[in-house]
Amino acid sequence: MSLAEAVTEPPFANRQIHRALRVDVLREIVDELVKQGHAVWTGAKNSKDSCLLFWRKPEVWAGMIHQWANDRGMMNTVLTLFELASGDDTVGQEFHGLDSATLRKALDVLQSQGKAQLFVGTSDEDLGVKFFT
């Protein structure tokens, strides 16, 4: 989300009363969300011009994905990011349809915990992941 664009749209702007949140105020709000783990800055290094907001923290998504893999007997099986986000086996799971940036953050969490290993592909959708118990 670009902060400059966000302040021109609801809920940060109300055209009926001609009021909008200032970019510097939104930047402070996002800074707090980043500190709490609910967002990350995505702009150029130290620019704080754009961010990615998380509905759920990557750690929560990571737990759901790992539990699903364990329940489905997918341990020690390599899956692609595409299979996790859009595959038939994940239909009905809360992470089905999750955007690739958030899914990647969740998989990074699992890798840092030693519960998964990521394999580089030609794109994020080709990225492979192997789950461990």
Side-chain angles (χ1 to χ4, degrees), residues 3-108:
L3 301 189
E5 291 175 21
V7 295
T8 65
E9 300 294 330
F12 306 112
N14 186 330
R15 292 185 181 117
Q16 292 177 333
I17 60 172
H18 305 289
R19 295 197 62 180
L21 191 65
R22 294 189 331 255
V23 172
D24 62 313
V25 174
L26 182 55
R27 189 172 291 116
E28 287 182 38
I29 293 168
V30 174
D31 264 336
E32 186 59 33
L33 291 170
V34 168
K35 288 177 190 172
Q36 295 176 13
H38 291 285
V40 292
W41 291 111
T42 59
K45 190 174 184 179
N46 299 321
S47 72
K48 295 187 177 182
D49 291 329
S50 61
C51 67
L52 175 62
L53 299 175
F54 301 120
W55 175 55
R56 290 188 170 133
K57 291 181 180 182
E59 295 81 5
V60 174
W61 289 118
M64 294 171 139
I65 293 165
H66 191 265
Q67 186 64 50
W68 169 83
N70 190 44
D71 291 349
R72 296 277 193 237
M74 298 289 192
M75 294 296 150
N76 296 310
T77 301
V78 177
L79 299 168
T80 65
L81 201 88
F82 177 82
E83 288 174 305
L84 284 173
S86 306
D88 293 339
D89 290 339
T90 62
V91 171
Q93 298 299 313
E94 291 188 58
F95 59 86
H96 185 84
L98 191 62
D99 67 278
S100 62
T102 303
L103 183 55
R104 177 63 191 263
K105 293 277 184 194
L107 295 176
D108 288 342

